[in-house]
Amino acid sequence: MEHAALYLALIGLLSLMCQWAAWRVHLPAILPLLIVGLIAGPVTGWLDPDAILGELLFPLVSLSVAVILFEGSLTLNYEDLRGHGRTVIRLITWGVVITGLIGTVAAWWLLDMPLEIAAVLGGLLVVTGPTVVIPLLQTLRAKANLSQILRWEGILVDPVGALLAVLIYEFVALGQENGAASHTVLLFGQTVGLGFGLGALGGWLWGLILRHHWLPQRLHNFGTLMIMLTLFAGSNALFEESGLLTVTVMGIWMANMRGIPVRPIIEFKETLTVLLVSGLFILLAARITTEQLMTLNWPAWVFLGVLMFVARPITVWVCTIGTELHWREKALLAWLSPRGIVAAAVASLFAIKLEQAGVEGAEMLVPITFLVIIGTVVIQSLFSKPIVKALKVNEPEPTGFLIIGANPVARAIASELMTMGWTVRLTDTSWDAVQEARMAGLPVYYGNPLSEHATQHLELTGIGRLLPLSPYRELNNLAALHFEHMLGHGNVFRLAEESSKHAKRQQDRALGHLPRLFNDEATFAKLASLVAGGAEIRVAKMTDSFGLEEYRRIHDGRLMPLFCVAANGRLRVVHTDATLAPRAGERVISLIYPDSPEMQPGEREERAREEQRVTPGRSDSSNPGRLPS
């Protein structure tokens, strides 16, 4: 096709617009990508992927799916499996089997598919995936235990479901080519053996290289990508269809190998996956023909209904037997099961391969899979919020704090807030700071809070406000912009700048609509200096005869109000857009500066006695309890 470069550039631009639209409306990006692809392809006929890419289409799809599966398998850590309860383990083991069997029978009976293709479809549609589950959870505010179950099921079921789908596909593909059942089983065993053996060997050897730094740090990401793609292609060359299994096993092996710096690799793969997924799904959706769309008649919609209203409820009921979950909580788990990226990518690849092999019914894999994806995402996005409210399994308004940074300033403020009953979570890229926070008993996320990994793994249940307390100015500012869309205006703050007037003007242009945290002089350098110099966080209760000005007088103005707790337990953050005027009965949480060196010992003792007389002890002023709804 002429102007192929222009078409590819426009596909990239459409991908960017779809990702932005998904971010704005809190929907999984896969939904607008597929819709745009359908409009560009079968609806308008503007985009013909086969004409643009020709013989390169299949290798591009194949390598993209390998990257997607490898990136997903890197997140499957055995510690995560052991750490999230019986329900999650059952959902990603027995639940996968139950859903796959029901999906297979429904596809064979309702869609009149050959049993082999029905099994491939049933295996494909067991996965949910974090890219579709997490955006829904962020808008629902379901109970913390339910959000945790759904979130970790989505994260862990991706590689497990992909592995199951690949195994089923390989058995079917080998059977189509070789006929005899005994010969098919033998070839399947050889394929599985090669996939597991080569994947484990490749993961172990490459893990050793990364662990001992035999490769420069700057080449770790690039080298991992090249080794993975080489193993994928080499495995396929040695034994057809074994490559996907090889890279999946390699990723799982590396994720569970001690001393391997996997996190930077995951972040690199996330960026690459966004690029591949965005363009890939527009191309794949555009390949669907009008004839395939016309086959989506009432049996296809009934099949969708069976997955949503039969398979999922049965799966959840079986997997929650003997747990303490209430029937209302089980009902929400049974409702939420949107399908995502892995199902769409793997279905498209399998369909291309099986169609080339002339397998009957293979042409239905992609349209049925896309119908299930769009149907589950749209229906569950529209109705999940009222269902959560009707079932009364929603959390109160989130009032906890996400704190950017785990340095001494962040830890001091987080400790006080946590002591008084508020939810806090710190995040930092410094391992030493993270370790200090953990030893202090503070919940902390290790990594970049703006990364795709954080989107999947940073627990935000109960979090409603952001405090940027990192020493890195750009990180604070970007985090404020990133989380304002999620947490809402008035719940996100910016930290005062200690840099040049030019930098301050730049911050005002970008973040001028956000209030400054605490006051105009509360820069990170000042806060860090005060804490390092011995400043303490204390709580004082205001009365009719003792107000904020009296409190300032006692300390000679050497204090910085941070928060104000109302009599009903609600907490207000002190900021520059509102004047702090605490009323009688309210508590003020302040950073008390260290004493001036010029102060005499007698003056210090007198001030301590006066403060003790007019302010309550810590045991009286702390722990107002959790905030009311």
Side-chain angles (χ1 to χ4, degrees), residues 392-563:
K392 299 179 181 179
V393 291
N394 53 317
E395 286 280 354
E397 192 71 25
T399 53
F401 292 86
L402 174 64
I403 300 177
I404 307 300
N407 48 74
V409 175
R411 295 199 300 269
I413 292 176
S415 295
E416 185 64 35
L417 290 171
M418 191 172 175
T419 299
M420 298 185 71
W422 278 277
T423 300
V424 296
R425 190 163 299 274
L426 297 85
T427 171
D428 207 307
T429 55
S430 167
W431 179 248
D432 290 338
V434 167
Q435 288 293 81
E436 291 285 344
R438 286 176 177 166
M439 286 190 290
L442 296 169
V444 62
Y445 167 79
Y446 172 54
N448 183 354
L450 310 180
S451 67
E452 188 67 23
H453 185 271
T455 301
Q456 298 180 11
H457 294 80
L458 176 56
E459 176 56 53
L460 295 177
T461 302
I463 300 298
R465 288 172 280 194
L466 174 82
L467 302 180
L469 296 174
S470 164
Y472 306 109
R473 174 169 55 89
E474 289 298 326
L475 177 59
N476 286 334
N477 294 343
L478 290 174
L481 290 172
H482 178 78
F483 287 99
E484 184 192 13
H485 177 66
M486 182 187 307
L487 303 179
H489 183 71
N491 296 317
V492 175
F493 307 90
R494 57 175 169 146
L495 204 58
E497 293 279 358
E498 70 270 4
S499 51
S500 65
K501 291 183 178 179
H502 175 67
K504 292 180 180 179
R505 284 196 298 269
Q506 283 186 322
Q507 189 200 45
D508 286 339
R509 281 195 294 268
L511 301 172
H513 60 292
L514 297 179
R516 288 188 178 91
L517 187 62
F518 306 143
N519 61 50
D520 288 325
E521 285 74 42
T523 65
F524 179 80
K526 180 176 181 178
L527 293 171
S529 175
L530 290 171
V531 171
E536 299 177 356
I537 296 178
R538 300 180 191 169
V539 183
K541 186 173 183 179
M542 302 294 102
T543 65
D544 290 328
S545 59
F546 177 76
L548 183 58
E549 291 307 314
E550 181 69 11
Y551 194 36
R552 291 184 189 275
R553 185 191 64 77
I554 290 177
H555 291 282
D556 297 324
R558 299 176 65 80
L559 64 82
M560 181 188 300
L562 307 178
F563 309 97

